[in-house]
Amino acid sequence: MNRRNLLMSAVLTTATLPLTGGGAVAHAAPRAASKTFLLVHGAWHNALHWGRVAQHLSALGHRVLAIDLPGHGLNARFPSAYLTGAWAKFAEEPSPQRDISLDECASAVIDALKALKGGPRPILVGHSVGGTVITRAGELAPEQVGRLVYLSAYCPVRLKNPSAYGALPESKTDYGHTLFVGDPAALGAVRINPRGDASYLEALRDAYYNDVEPRDFLPFALALTPDLPTALWTSNVVVTRERWGRIPRSYIRCTQDRALVPALQDLMIREADAFTPTNVFDQKTLGTSHSPFASQPALLAELLAGLR
């Protein structure tokens, strides 16, 4: 990640989505117990979606950076049909992001970790598919990470990739099946349509933001990128006990999650703990949807701030 994108992502976490009306930004002087957080978004999201959590953490005296992964946020590239609204073509047009790899995303995370010099090693937080990215980053650069935090996130230890977990009986849900556009294999991306009609957006809210009111959901929805490069969904992640397995880790379970359901969260926790029985997950629980950064940002920030 170049310096411009890194700086822009840092600006996004402190200058957007105000805690209350009026556009106020929370600032706090560093404290002796200050922690450093690097926040990694999930599929279709970006640094902007972490804005309220970042502001709360900053107000608690912590150092926070959220980044845009390659292909997301300010790094996104869009199918032409998405810009013109030619929806039939949108279902068939190959993604301009189809060549983005999991290692490219993990490298962006590692670059951001290295840029956060001084103080304790960062707490690396990954949401949803971002869990796969932080898993790969932790394996590649365990010396850069103070703790891994999985926020209702994929931790693909046994089955290696999110798509394999998505095929399990534990992953089954009644929500979200109508959201995906086109054939991911042909497009090179798992595609959604954040510019869809009212019924589509309601289905999106119902699956991923079900505890967020419709009017509050819209700013989050319209900031989404349509294409998740398929590599982030299908690429295998190989972890070792000596590298990823030595990093302290936490899992934040979201009990009202309809996208990555609690049964699947619990399965991945059990598998990871069985892989490293002397270094198991520190488990926390939130009674939220898949998107607590939107529905309960203050509570999520307080939980993160309380981690060892």
Side-chain angles (χ1 to χ4, degrees), residues 237-283:
V237 178
V238 176
V239 297
T240 62
R241 295 177 178 88
E242 296 75 23
R243 297 182 68 80
W244 173 86
R246 79 181 197 228
I247 305 171
R249 62 179 187 262
S250 299
Y251 201 104
I252 302 176
R253 301 170 64 255
C254 294
T255 60
Q256 303 304 313
D257 197 329
R258 294 172 175 175
L260 205 166
V261 296
L264 187 57
Q265 298 172 46
D266 292 340
L267 173 65
M268 290 186 287
I269 291 169
R270 291 195 302 270
E271 291 179 352
D273 287 353
F275 183 69
T276 57
T278 60
N279 179 28
V280 300
F281 272 114
D282 170 38
Q283 295 185 46

Side-chain angles (χ1 to χ4, degrees), residues 50 88 122 133 137 165-166 168 269 273:
W50 285 112
V133 179
Y165 284 94
L168 294 177
I269 291 169
D273 287 353

Side-chain angles (χ1 to χ4, degrees), residues 89-268:
K89 181 181 177 184
F90 181 58
E92 300 176 350
E93 182 182 349
S95 173
Q97 309 195 133
R98 59 189 177 276
D99 294 329
I100 292 173
S101 70
L102 175 61
D103 274 1
E104 186 177 349
C105 294
S107 293
V109 170
I110 294 169
D111 287 346
L113 288 168
K114 291 177 178 178
L116 292 170
K117 296 177 181 177
R121 284 182 294 176
I123 295 172
L124 179 57
V125 183
H127 173 244
S128 193
V129 170
T132 304
V133 179
I134 70 168
T135 300
R136 181 59 176 155
E139 178 66 20
L140 292 173
E143 71 284 353
Q144 300 291 336
V145 184
R147 176 173 289 271
L148 292 166
V149 180
Y150 292 77
L151 174 60
S152 195
Y154 287 94
C155 182
V157 171
R158 182 176 67 89
L159 297 182
K160 310 304 181 189
N161 65 68
S163 64
Y165 284 94
L168 294 177
E170 289 88 347
S171 75
K172 300 308 177 188
T173 173
D174 295 330
Y175 300 92
H177 300 296
T178 63
L179 296 174
F180 303 106
V181 177
D183 175 9
L187 301 177
V190 181
R191 180 169 288 171
I192 62 171
N193 185 6
R195 296 179 61 198
D197 61 19
S199 63
Y200 182 95
L201 290 175
E202 178 56 21
L204 186 65
R205 187 190 71 85
D206 216 21
Y208 292 95
Y209 288 76
N210 47 288
D211 56 351
V212 179
E213 291 298 319
R215 69 176 185 179
D216 298 323
F217 162 67
L218 281 177
F220 288 89
L222 297 178
L224 295 170
T225 299
D227 285 359
L228 172 73
T230 53
L232 274 72
W233 182 243
T234 61
S235 293
N236 282 350
V237 178
V238 176
V239 297
T240 62
R241 295 177 178 88
E242 296 75 23
R243 297 182 68 80
W244 173 86
R246 79 181 197 228
I247 305 171
R249 62 179 187 262
S250 299
Y251 201 104
I252 302 176
R253 301 170 64 255
C254 294
T255 60
Q256 303 304 313
D257 197 329
R258 294 172 175 175
L260 205 166
V261 296
L264 187 57
Q265 298 172 46
D266 292 340
L267 173 65
M268 290 186 287

